[in-house]
Amino acid sequence: MSGPVAEFSAPVDRGAAGLARDFVRKTLTDLGYLGDHSDVVLVVSELVSNALRHTATIPVVRLAGDALRLRVEVEDGSPVLPRTRLSATVGGWGLQLVQQLTTAWGTTPDPGGKVVWCEMAVVATS
């Protein structure tokens, strides 16, 4: 990540995704990001929910960017890398959603677990 980084440690409880969404809304305003804030909020909510569902650690959300570009990272303490899968009747849509709403996404193994990251950009209109 380049530039200033805003970071939020989500508590491991039922309200974590909501608190993460509040953090994202405020941070996007502070960054002056011109892209669709609701898309970013949805992506972060999904990544935090996945971290809480599949790990027993506190997810850490990081945002960095400017008016036109944004990088989102969600770090957790599990070394198990996420993968897209065919959707089931319950769950399975999250990473497909992330893939659709971002310009790029991936995972980076970390000594303490992993970082799931994505990049978003303002789409130029003519």
Side-chain angles (χ1 to χ4, degrees), residues 67-85:
L68 301 177
R69 298 173 305 128
L70 184 70
R71 181 166 172 108
V72 175
E73 294 183 352
V74 176
E75 178 183 347
D76 65 56
S78 171
V80 178
L81 301 180
R83 59 182 172 79
T84 55
R85 60 184 168 103

Side-chain angles (χ1 to χ4, degrees), residues 28 32-38 40 66-68 121-123:
L28 291 175
Y33 182 64
L34 299 174
D36 189 335
H37 289 202
S38 61
V40 181
D66 55 33
L68 301 177
V122 174
V123 178

Side-chain angles (χ1 to χ4, degrees), residues 1-7 23-24 26-35 37 40 61-73 118-122:
M1 296 183 125
S2 62
V5 177
E7 184 173 288
F23 162 77
V24 169
K26 180 186 181 320
T27 302
L28 291 175
T29 300
D30 292 348
L31 291 172
Y33 182 64
L34 299 174
H37 289 202
V40 181
V61 179
R62 289 185 202 92
L63 296 176
D66 55 33
L68 301 177
R69 298 173 305 128
L70 184 70
R71 181 166 172 108
V72 175
E73 294 183 352
C118 62
E119 296 174 353
M120 303 178 86
V122 174

Side-chain angles (χ1 to χ4, degrees), residues 8-27:
F8 172 75
S9 295
V12 180
D13 65 30
R14 299 182 88 190
L19 292 171
R21 288 189 294 270
D22 292 343
F23 162 77
V24 169
R25 286 183 192 103
K26 180 186 181 320
T27 302

